[in-house]
Amino acid sequence: MNIEIVAFGIAKDILKGKSIQLEVASAATVEQVKKQLVNDYPDFQTLASLQLAVNAEYVVDDYVLNENDEVVLIPPVSGG
Amino acid sequence: MNIEIVAFGIAKDILKGKSIQLEVASAATVEQVKKQLVNDYPDFQTLASLQLAVNAEYVVDDYVLNENDEVVLIPPVSGG
Amino acid sequence: MRSIYITSDKLDSQACTEAVTYDGAGGIVVFVGTVRNATKGKAVLHLDFEAYEKMALKEMQKIADRAMERWGLYSMVIHHRTGLVPIGEEAVVIACSSAHRKEAFQACEFAIDTLKETVPIWKKEVFEDGEVWVSAHP
Amino acid sequence: MRSIYITSDKLDSQACTEAVTYDGAGGIVVFVGTVRNATKGKAVLHLDFEAYEKMALKEMQKIADRAMERWGLYSMVIHHRTGLVPIGEEAVVIACSSAHRKEAFQACEFAIDTLKETVPIWKKEVFEDGEVWVSAHP
C-alpha cells in the first residue's frame, strides 16, 4: 500500500521536503516503516530519537498501519 | 534598667498597646525578658512561638540587652 | 479552567496570570520561557519554532488534564508561540493556580518538563553563520 | 538585580516579571500569593497585613541574597503588600530568572517558603463575625 508521511523539524530537512509517499507492505508496522525510512535516508540514524505519530497520537512500534492513517515523523522535540 | 518593647500582630493585642516600658535587671538576657513578659502577660504562653528581635535582627536567647537596643516582640509570622 | 493555545503572535504572561487568578486560589505559579541571546557562548539571533499543531494541542491538553487531576489545581494555562521569536520574548507561558502553593509549584514544573519531552514542537536556533535544530542529535 | 519592596499599594506581577526578564535568561518563575475568599470553609472578607518594615526588608534582602548565590540567579524580585488587601488581590509577588528553569523553580519556592518562616509580617483574617491573626496559636 502507499502511505503519505509528513515531516517536521529536522526530519523535513533529511527528507528534503514536507512529505513523501512511501510504498510499504500491506499491514506494515510502524517499526517496519521506520526501518525502511532509515534505510532510504541514513541521516535518520544520526538523530537522538525518531518516532512516528499516527492520527496525531504517539503509537507503539508494533502498531499496524492503515492506508488512511495520518502518519507524521517526529524527530526529537524541543519546544518550550 | 528600663527598656521599651514594641509589639506587632497578636503581641500588640496581648499587651493591649503598641509598646510597653519594662523594668529589667541590668545585663538582662533575652530569655529573662521573655520570662518576665510571659509572667506579666500569661496569654503569650498560648502562642506557637515568641521571639525578640534586637535592632531589627533575630537574636539568640542569651543575648544581653542594652538600654538603647531596639527591642521588638515577634509573635509567629504569617506573611505571604 | 484550562486554556491551551498555540499562536504565532506575541504571548501575554500577564493575561495568563490573570486567567488563572481565582478568589479561591492562594497560590499562582507562572513559568515563562524566554529566548536566550546565546547557546554555549554563541550568539543567537532568534529562534524559529515549528509545531505539528493538531497533535501539539492534544499533548498540551493531556499535560493540563494530568496536572489538574494530580495536584487538584483550579486552573492551568499553557500557551506556546511558533514562528520566529526574537531574543528576550516569551516562547512559552505556563500558569496554574491551586489552594496551596506547593501543588502549584509542582504542577507548573511538571508541565514544562513534560512539554519539553512530549509536545511535538521544534526549535531552530538561528546564528549569524547557520542554524541548528535544538536537541536533534545525541 | 534585586528588588525588595513593601508597599500598601496594589502589587504588579507583570512589572515584576518584566523586571527579571533578561536576554540571557531562559527561565522565569513567578509566584503570586493572592487573598483567598475562605479559610477552612469560612468566608474571609479581606486580609490585613502588618509589617515590622525595617526588619522585614532586611530579612527579604537576606532571602534574595541567599537565593541569588545558591542558585546562580540573574535576578530576584520580592514585593509584599501591607494593610488591607481585598479578596483576589496580590499579597506577595516573587519573581526570579536564571539561565535554566530548574534553578528558577527551586529558588522561587525557597524564597516564598523562607519568607513565610522568617519575615516579620503578620496577616489578620477578617471575617463577618471577627478576626484572627493567622498561625498565632499552635
Side-chain angles (χ1 to χ4, degrees), chain D residues 21-83:
Chain D
T21 300
Y22 170 66
D23 286 353
I28 295 170
V29 174
V30 184
F31 173 78
V32 182
T34 55
V35 176
R36 267 185 290 169
N37 58 7
T39 289
K40 292 166 194 153
K42 198 171 172 186
V44 173
L45 299 184
H46 61 257
L47 295 187
D48 199 350
F49 285 92
E50 188 180 321
Y52 175 18
E53 200 164 314
K54 179 166 73 168
M55 182 175 171
L57 289 169
K58 280 169 87 168
E59 292 294 325
M60 287 158 73
Q61 184 71 50
K62 280 181 201 168
I63 291 170
D65 288 350
R66 282 170 64 192
M68 298 275 293
E69 195 194 328
R70 180 161 164 197
W71 285 284
L73 305 179
Y74 285 116
S75 42
M76 175 167 266
V77 168
I78 308 179
H79 289 188
H80 205 298
R81 186 164 170 191
T82 51

Side-chain angles (χ1 to χ4, degrees), chain C residues 100-112:
Chain C
H100 300 286
R101 69 187 184 281
K102 198 177 175 59
E103 285 72 18
F105 273 108
Q106 289 181 346
C108 193
E109 192 167 12
F110 162 83
I112 180 62

